[in-house]
Structures are given as C-alpha cells and as structure tokens.
Amino acid sequence: MRKSTRQIMIGNIPVGGGAPCSVQSMCSTDTRDVAATLGQIGRLAAAGCEIVRCAVPDMDAAVALAAVKAGSPMPLIADIHFDYKLALKALESGVDGLRLNPGNIGEKWKVAEVVKAAAERNVPIRIGVNGGSLEKELLVKYGHPTPEAMVESALGHVRILEDLGYQQIKISIKVSDVLRTLEAYRLLSDAVEYPLHIGVTEAGTIFAGTVKSSVGLGILLHQGIGDTMRVSLTGDPVDEVRVAYDILKSLGLRTRGINFVSCPTCGRCQVNLIPVAEEVERRLAHLDKKLTVAVMGCSVNGPGEAREADFGIAGGRGEGLLFRHGEILRKVPEAELADALVEEVLKNT
C-alpha cells in the first residue's frame, strides 16, 4: 500500500497523489555552460529521466536557466541556497520547481517574495534537509544529525511556507547512512501529507552507491514511501537514472527498459559468458520494451531460464542455443552469441 500524499505538478509530471514514482537526476555540468548542460540533459532524457535539477551558484547561472529551460525536453528544477534573488531570477527564467530551504534564505520578507513569485507561476518548492548541513541549534540539541533532528528541521521549514499560505511543497530528508535515512523518512511520512522525494545522499561511487541506494530506496518504496526519487552516484548522472529504473522495476513499480537476466557463472559454464552478457546488456540498454532477455551459461538452469524469457541464449561447450518465446531457434557458435541474440531481439521488437 502506497502512502496517500497530496499531488503537485512539476511541469507536466505529477508527483504524489498516486502517480508513479518519478525518476530525477541532477546535472553535473556548469549551468552557465548552456550547450554542455543541454547535452547532458538530452542524454538523461534518452535514459528515461523525467525531472532534472541544475545548480544555481550565482546570478549568471540563474540567467542561463532561461536558455536551458527553453531547450530542455523535461521539467527543470533550480537548486538554490541562501540567496533569494537567485530564486526570483530562476523563476523569471521559467523553471518548473525550486529546491530551496526557506529557513536558509534570511528575513521572512525575502521568503515571502519567493513564495509570491512561485505562487504566481504555480511552481512547487522542495524542502531538502541534508544531514551534512543541519542547523547548528539542532546539532546542539540532538548531538548529531539524528532522524528526529532532521525531521524537526524539515517541519520547521514547512511551517515557514505554511505560515505564508503556501502548500505546493515536497520534502526530502537525506543522509548518507541507510538506516538513519530509513528512520527519518518513516518519521516524516507519519508527520506530513506532502509528497516525498527520496534518496540516500552522497551514496558513493557507482558500485557502493548502487548498493546503498538499492537497499535504502527499495525498502522505502516497498513500504509505500516515496513519490519521486534520485539515486545519488559519484559518476555519470545517466547511471543514476538506469539504477533508479532497475530499483523500481525490481519492485514491479515501473516497467521501463528490458528485464535482463544473466547467470553468475560457475564451474559448469563452458562459454566465456561475462563479455557476452555485458555486450548484450549494453547494446539493448536503449530499448524501452516490456520484455525479458536471458543470457545463461550452462545446461542446468540455462535452458529453463532462456525458455521462460522472451529471448535468450543458453551456453554449451563452445556454442549456445538461441531461444525465442520458449522455442529453440538454432545453435550458435560462441563467438556469435551476442550478435545473434541482439539481432533476434531487435528484429522482433
């Protein structure tokens, strides 16, 4: 059962209110370099990213957002810290959302100006609490960024916006530790009806970060928590999108891309399966089809898995069987396995 939350719109993407959990990422380019930023946004869109965020460190970046927004195929969120003027300029540039903590903006009149401009444009604001930048008074009170401290911080920011009559809000509450992230989101989910943006922040490189994010986000999503998500990885943001969809797909929540099955290999494997599996996965990564492709290495589980898949191969001694919808098509030499499987998939999809 998914937690029932209010629905907001980030551009044309519904967030909350029963909408599918949307996939976000953040550009690693300099926002002031419009060409580079749009190039990365294009690659993210091709991978299935639905919402993209850009850093706004100064006024030049805020101004550049107008050109980025004009060329972006997906909704654009501006990431703002401390300076309310950057938020106002980002809104003038046409962004679809703000990531902004009102408690960090300064005097209440500055926040009020941002809220007024956001309301006029129907632009939601995401409150983003991070364990690494918690308010000093909360660190004194709790000793370190506990889940309770982060929730108290988030609710404080929420009250600022609510006092100004603004409720187009979504909230994130992140820390690099998986267990603290889980507890923080559970507490927050019990406390508010606003949609939640989930993630494990600063999760690490692609290997460690994928593991942490899969565990943390997988548990939250399985418990019905999470309306939009970002997998935070140190690397190409396109990988964040691929991992996000694989997490959602493994839980039956989204179906983008193929379901790729491959065996871990063992002493029974009589073909060099690893490069075959890697090549097949890479060459079919662009497909947005609901189908299963299996790359199996031996005669024990291989034929069964390949037969259950839409397309598959099962390795033998220096060769393999090519399957389509449970039927054996032909034997294929080991050197031609990847080509044969990819060609069969592309020919029939």
Side-chain angles (χ1 to χ4, degrees), residues 28-326:
S28 57
T29 55
D30 185 334
T31 306
R32 294 164 294 196
D33 187 340
V34 174
T37 300
L38 285 176
Q40 190 171 73
I41 288 174
R43 293 194 300 113
L44 288 167
C49 188
E50 295 166 306
I51 300 170
V52 67
R53 180 160 47 110
C54 287
V56 187
D58 57 28
M59 190 57 71
D60 288 339
V63 171
L65 286 175
V68 174
K69 169 60 182 173
S72 175
M74 72 183 91
L76 180 67
I77 293 177
D79 192 274
I80 307 292
H81 292 277
F82 309 121
D83 190 343
Y84 82 106
K85 292 181 180 178
L86 298 181
L88 294 176
K89 179 54 71 173
L91 289 166
E92 288 178 17
S93 295
V95 298
D96 302 287
L98 294 176
R99 190 280 194 192
L100 176 151
N101 287 349
N104 297 338
I105 292 299
E107 294 92 333
K108 189 172 181 178
W109 67 266
K110 294 179 180 179
V111 181
E113 283 201 31
V114 174
V115 167
K116 180 176 181 293
E120 289 170 351
R121 296 165 173 82
N122 208 29
V123 171
I125 295 174
R126 168 160 74 94
I127 291 167
V129 173
N130 191 302
S133 55
L134 209 60
E135 294 95 323
K136 291 180 179 178
E137 58 270 24
L138 290 176
L139 289 175
V140 171
K141 178 179 178 179
Y142 289 95
H144 65 281
T146 64
E148 294 79 6
M150 291 189 291
V151 170
E152 185 171 332
S153 175
L155 295 180
H157 292 299
V158 167
R159 279 193 294 273
I160 294 172
L161 295 182
E162 288 179 337
D163 287 347
L164 291 167
Y166 204 67
Q167 294 187 328
Q168 285 206 65
I169 299 169
K170 71 177 187 290
I171 312 171
S172 67
I173 185 164
K174 301 180 184 178
V175 59
S176 59
D177 177 80
V178 171
L179 294 178
R180 277 191 290 152
T181 296
L182 291 173
E183 183 59 20
Y185 272 110
R186 288 173 184 139
L187 292 171
L188 183 62
S189 180
D190 288 340
V192 300
E193 297 298 322
Y194 295 113
L196 301 184
H197 169 84
I198 60 173
V200 178
T201 194
E202 293 127 16
T205 55
I206 188 165
F207 179 81
T210 295
V211 172
K212 283 185 181 180
S213 297
S214 298
V215 172
L217 301 186
I219 290 172
L220 288 173
L221 290 165
H222 187 61
Q223 293 177 343
I225 298 172
D227 301 288
T228 182
M229 65 187 285
R230 179 195 175 190
V231 173
S232 298
L233 300 176
T234 305
D236 189 336
V238 170
D239 289 326
E240 298 182 350
V241 177
R242 293 179 59 195
V243 172
Y245 274 109
D246 277 345
I247 293 171
L248 290 166
K249 191 161 48 180
S250 69
L251 293 167
L253 298 175
R254 300 291 297 269
T255 58
R256 180 183 172 86
I258 64 171
N259 177 33
F260 185 74
V261 177
S262 63
C263 72
T265 77
C266 68
R268 292 189 299 267
C269 187
Q270 298 180 79
V271 295
N272 189 12
L273 193 74
I274 294 173
V276 175
E278 290 175 343
E279 182 178 351
V280 170
E281 184 179 37
R282 176 182 59 80
R283 290 170 63 181
L284 298 180
H286 68 285
L287 286 182
D288 185 13
K289 301 287 184 180
K290 189 177 180 180
L291 54 87
T292 297
V293 176
V295 177
M296 305 300 294
C298 79
S299 59
V300 177
N301 297 318
E305 287 284 1
R307 194 173 284 116
E308 289 297 313
D310 296 290
F311 303 91
I313 53 175
R317 186 183 296 275
E319 62 184 11
L321 296 174
L322 178 65
F323 290 81
R324 182 181 68 212
H325 301 306

